[in-house]
Amino acid sequence: MFKATRNTLRFAVAATALAALAACGTRTISDVDSQGITQEPVFPETSQATRPDGSYANLENLGKIASGMTKAQIQELIGSPHFKEGMFGVREWDYILKFRQPNGQPDQVCQYKVLFDENLLARSFYYYPEDCRARAEEQPAPVKSESLTLSADATFAFGSAVLSEPGRTELASLAGCLGGAGNFRIASKLAPTGDSVLAE
């Protein structure tokens, strides 16, 4: 009888521990419904974070996050959440993201929240302050590329190693397009390899 009572006690303790863990994991501070949506997202105090310094936002990775992604996929893109979210059945992840500012200004600090539905798939995403959303959705400025062609016939006379006057003009124009016309001089003769020389 004593043995049976002891086994029953062990079972009760284990069940209580599992229930506590489950309650910790499924508890949300934003009242998340089964669809992974809340009417009023609540952001925790940054002082409560396990990583209060946060992390610098990767705009490309943030742009890849979408509804229906798993926790593992979210974690691959932006890492583990920065707060003590719990262990099992967690449906709310919070991050502290930093964005670089121009002209030496202090970093912009934002909070980012991911909410999961009852199947633990990401469904809704929130920023605090709200203007952080526009910053996170910025697209990097496209790199402007331009093709420049330098005519060898116009640069050197046939059979000559001396740079022609039209060639000098064309090379000067090329240097200007590269944004460093003031930092280059144009050699008047071919290098031993047969290539024309542009030197600082």
Side-chain angles (χ1 to χ4, degrees), residues 80-162:
S80 301
H82 297 165
F83 293 79
K84 297 178 181 178
E85 272 78 3
M87 296 178 63
F88 301 102
V90 178
R91 297 178 53 209
E92 192 163 3
W93 277 8
D94 286 279
Y95 295 84
I96 299 174
L97 302 180
K98 292 183 176 181
F99 296 88
R100 297 286 191 187
Q101 297 279 69
N103 304 321
Q105 299 179 59
D107 296 330
Q108 181 179 7
V109 180
C110 301
Q111 287 183 253
Y112 180 58
K113 180 184 291 290
V114 181
L115 299 184
F116 301 88
D117 64 16
E118 59 186 356
N119 297 314
L120 302 183
L121 297 177
R123 291 303 180 190
S124 53
F125 314 90
Y126 303 88
Y127 287 91
Y128 179 80
E130 180 59 30
D131 61 358
C132 289
R133 181 180 298 276
R135 182 65 189 275
E137 293 177 353
E138 284 181 0
Q139 296 297 322
V143 178
K144 182 180 179 181
S145 61
E146 184 177 353
S147 177
L148 298 173
T149 303
L150 186 63
S151 171
D153 293 338
T155 306
F156 295 94
F158 179 76
S160 174
V162 179

Side-chain angles (χ1 to χ4, degrees), residues 3 14 35 37 49 66 70-71 83 89 101 104 130 145 165 177-179 184 200:
K3 184 176 181 180
Q35 302 301 312
I37 299 173
T70 65
K71 290 182 177 180
F83 293 79
Q101 297 279 69
E130 180 59 30
S145 61
E165 192 60 35
C177 290
L178 294 175
F184 291 88
E200 291 186 2

Side-chain angles (χ1 to χ4, degrees), residues 4 6 11-12 14 36 38 46 52 54 65 89 100 127 139 157 167 169 179 186 190 196:
R6 185 170 60 182
F11 177 79
T38 183
T46 55
I65 294 177
R100 297 286 191 187
Y127 287 91
Q139 296 297 322
T169 302
I186 302 173
L190 288 177
S196 58

Side-chain angles (χ1 to χ4, degrees), residues 35-55:
Q35 302 301 312
I37 299 173
T38 183
Q39 298 301 317
E40 188 175 353
V42 178
F43 290 87
E45 294 292 334
T46 55
S47 59
Q48 299 174 1
T50 55
R51 283 193 57 181
D53 55 328
S55 60

